[in-house]
Amino acid sequence: MSKNKNLILALDVTDRTRAVAISKDVADYVDAIKIGYPLVLGAGLGIINTISEFAPVIADFKVADIPNTAKLICDLAFRAGAGAVIVHGFTGHDSLLECVRVGREYRGDILVVTEMSHPGALDFMAPEALKLARLAVESGACGVVAPATRPERVREIRRIVGDLTIISPGVGAQGGSAAEAIRAGADYVIVGRSIYNARNPRIEAEKIVREIEMCR
Ligand code: 3DU
């Protein structure tokens, strides 16, 4: 994934035809497309390969299991054509190390969730987020996911992860600002509903890219 636009589309539609149309439409304005359970369960695992014709695909499976099961999930995602897989870190070092090992086998990236962007993340994740960021570094992961809804947390997480990649969801529909997240240290912002629900997703994506350009 080359850092060009600093924007990742979260493609949480469930219909294959719509997913392909939106991907085609916004491809010029995104560095990657993040696909999660909604689209994979709606359209099948083959959708990863289909969408990777438009942009590198990040499989957001938030893998959270014992090492063997985590390995099987990462292996299937990379084999389907994903360039990166998002995993949880709270399952501990052994599960995470196994994901990183599989990632290396495929020359793919493993990205670790630290603190999520929604309000409920403050219940359990926030107190452990910096520890999760440290674990991501120690395990050899390529990057972390940090909340655009709390730029101050992105800043703290950046201090811990050094030059690892930070991808940051929560822009737009969840109230976060793309410019603020980038200024706080995110490499990429992740935007879903604001783009795919827009009357013109391409124009919306372009608007976010311009906003990021202005703040650099
Ligand atoms: O709120 P949006 O529609 O822009 O979508 C955000 C996407 O990022 C969505 O796929 C969600 O599952 C994912 N995500 C978060 O929102 C927050 C996280 O901490 C991690 C992933």
Side-chain angles (χ1 to χ4, degrees), residues 25-136:
D25 206 27
V26 306
D28 294 339
Y29 294 107
V30 299
D31 291 323
I33 297 177
K34 184 178 81 65
I35 293 176
Y37 294 115
L39 183 54
V40 167
L41 294 176
L45 194 57
I47 193 70
I48 292 180
N49 189 43
T50 304
I51 300 300
S52 67
E53 286 173 27
F54 305 106
V57 169
I58 300 173
D60 185 359
F61 291 158
K62 294 196 181 68
V63 181
D65 219 311
I66 60 164
N68 185 61
T69 310
K71 172 189 79 178
L72 294 171
I73 297 168
C74 289
D75 193 74
L76 281 165
F78 284 122
R79 222 183 309 157
V85 178
I86 294 178
V87 306
H88 271 300
F90 65 74
T91 46
H93 68 278
D94 49 355
S95 290
L96 187 49
L97 282 170
E98 190 58 6
C99 295
V100 169
R101 193 191 61 71
V102 176
R104 289 200 177 125
E105 223 175 274
Y106 286 90
R107 297 184 182 199
D109 294 348
I110 294 294
L111 303 163
V112 183
V113 178
T114 56
E115 178 177 309
M116 294 184 75
S117 55
H118 62 309
L122 299 178
D123 296 345
F124 298 104
M125 301 195 84
E128 302 299 331
L130 302 185
K131 233 154 99 181
L132 291 167
R134 252 172 245 124
L135 182 61

